Amino acid sequence: MIKNRIRLLPVLLLAVWVLAGCGHQVASADKASDGRLQVVTTLFPQYDFARQIGGDHADVSLVLLPGMESHMYDPTPGDMIRISEADM
């Protein structure tokens, strides 16, 4: 009985993950209305990569401040809101 539940767990997690992606986001008033993709990254290599790929079509921002150690980063509530409202 327990083995069946353990086997079912990955299937349920996958279903929750897929269904969570089906929701839609309501555009907030402070988002850029210029049609550019809003991208928020937490590490500089991903920031630089997204900035180079997105070019003028993406507004890419980095959560970490210059000189901040990524392993010591603790997101603020404002950071979490900014990340959750981003397109990517």
Side-chain angles (χ1 to χ4, degrees), residues 25-86:
Q25 288 184 326
V26 177
S28 64
D30 62 339
K31 260 193 170 177
S33 61
D34 58 3
R36 295 189 309 166
L37 189 64
Q38 300 294 315
V39 180
V40 177
T41 62
T42 55
L43 299 173
F44 184 78
Q46 287 82 0
Y47 165 78
D48 194 40
F49 183 75
R51 193 171 47 94
Q52 293 295 322
I53 298 294
D56 294 335
H57 303 288
D59 180 23
V60 182
S61 61
L62 180 64
V63 176
L64 294 178
L65 298 174
M68 182 182 282
E69 175 63 39
S70 63
H71 293 97
M72 301 301 291
Y73 171 68
D74 188 23
T76 65
D79 290 339
M80 290 190 275
I81 290 170
R82 194 166 118 206
I83 292 168
S84 69
E85 289 179 348

